[in-house]
Amino acid sequence: MTNVTEHPTHLAYLTNRPALPMVAEAAIGFAVLVTKWSVRKRTRRQLSRLDAHQLRDIGLQREDAMREGTLPFWRP
């Protein structure tokens, strides 16, 4: 059985890296947030453009797609 505290080799850097300066951590957090917002905006726009057949394929009704498509990018 693998010890829970062991990490795969490819994750060792992330778990053992020195702490970043507070400004760098804030900049990374901001970049992650802006990226999430961008992805939400793009995927919601694309969702609202799907036709009825495509919506059926993913199990959504037109009303659900339109409601999701009109949400602002900052709302999860």
Side-chain angles (χ1 to χ4, degrees):
M1 179 173 208
T2 305
N3 186 343
V4 176
T5 60
E6 292 179 16
H7 298 285
T9 310
H10 63 281
L11 295 178
Y13 171 75
L14 295 175
T15 58
N16 296 324
R17 69 176 174 83
L20 292 173
M22 192 181 329
V23 172
E25 291 284 351
I28 290 170
F30 180 73
V32 167
L33 180 63
V34 169
T35 301
K36 284 181 184 181
W37 286 350
S38 176
V39 168
R40 278 186 201 146
K41 182 177 179 179
R42 183 178 63 247
T43 56
R44 287 176 176 166
R45 187 177 339 119
Q46 292 169 342
L47 180 63
S48 65
R49 293 178 180 164
L50 295 178
D51 64 31
H53 175 67
Q54 293 167 321
L55 289 170
R56 259 192 322 273
D57 280 349
I58 61 173
L60 289 177
Q61 300 292 323
R62 169 63 53 198
E63 297 80 27
D64 298 330
M66 295 309 291
R67 184 175 47 253
E68 183 69 26
T70 59
L71 287 175
F73 63 88
W74 62 85
R75 300 205 60 204

